[in-house]
Amino acid sequence: MAVAAFPGLGKTTAVLAFARAFHRREAAEHGAFTAQGHERWPVCRVGLTGNTGMKDLNRAMLEFFGHPGRHTSTAAQLGLQALDCMLLCEVRVLILDDLHFLKWRKTNGIEVSNHLKWIANEFPVTLLKVGVGLADKGLFSEGERAGDTALAQTGRRTTRLDMPPFSIDSEQGRLHWRHLLLALEQRIVLADAYPGMLADDLSDYLFARSTGHIGSLMTRVNRGCQRAQRTGAERLTRDLLDQVRNNEAAEHARRELEYALSEGKATSRPRRNRASR
């Protein structure tokens, strides 16, 4: 599987939350150790860089397990040692994060693509790939040029999972946005915080300033809470949040949306909540 979405939508956060829950579930069902006495590690997570090659990927997997041979073995030996660790620790899911860092049209990108096929064939795991613009990078392409044909099989084997930004174009989207704000309210620790501080009083404002991207939303709420504590306000308001600098991407995209919300041409509040107010 491949989780592909724009930056700032919480891909890695969502995948790590899934990995944590899956790890705990497997440990609870089967125990912390395997039948052979090895530690059970249901999930292995590897982060890629722009210069990752086949040997680097194998070494990164061994780094996860702390294998002593990760500094001295050849690329082929590293791959077999990684397979041995996966089998002994009964790994079920292998997460490859930041897959977009690979330059698929370059030599090392083709090399790693072929290596991923080998892992899919030989490792008894589910591959979960995470990245930005994976389709544009060529992960799902059939290869229109001779040099791209090596990538075709990866696209055939991969199921794509999208993570779109929050939207207020439908009632369901507005409900999702409200549920997110209600969940955030429960985690805010301010002396004068109150129910509805985000979901009722700041719903439109926060959507306009974040444009539905959870990364921008969390940055603004976190910085707002820090300012509220430093100034003694102990609650989040529009005036206070206006003093918090926005990230460049959200600031650039917010103006048209902010106008529509202020003029009543759009709203982030579900219909039943608008009626109650």
Side-chain angles (χ1 to χ4, degrees), residues 214-234:
I214 193 169
S216 300
L217 172 67
M218 294 304 299
T219 298
R220 194 160 199 83
V221 170
N222 285 334
R223 292 177 180 175
C225 288
Q226 293 171 13
R227 180 175 288 272
Q229 291 172 347
R230 290 197 305 267
T231 61
E234 291 297 336

Side-chain angles (χ1 to χ4, degrees), residues 44 58 61 65 78-87 91-92 94 115-127:
C44 173
N58 291 340
M61 288 189 286
F65 296 100
L78 289 171
L80 294 176
Q81 290 167 351
L83 173 59
D84 187 49
C85 288
M86 298 279 181
L87 294 172
V91 175
R92 300 280 305 281
L94 172 58
H115 190 55
L116 293 181
K117 297 170 191 173
W118 176 75
I119 291 177
N121 288 332
E122 302 298 330
F123 285 44
V125 299
T126 296
L127 270 176

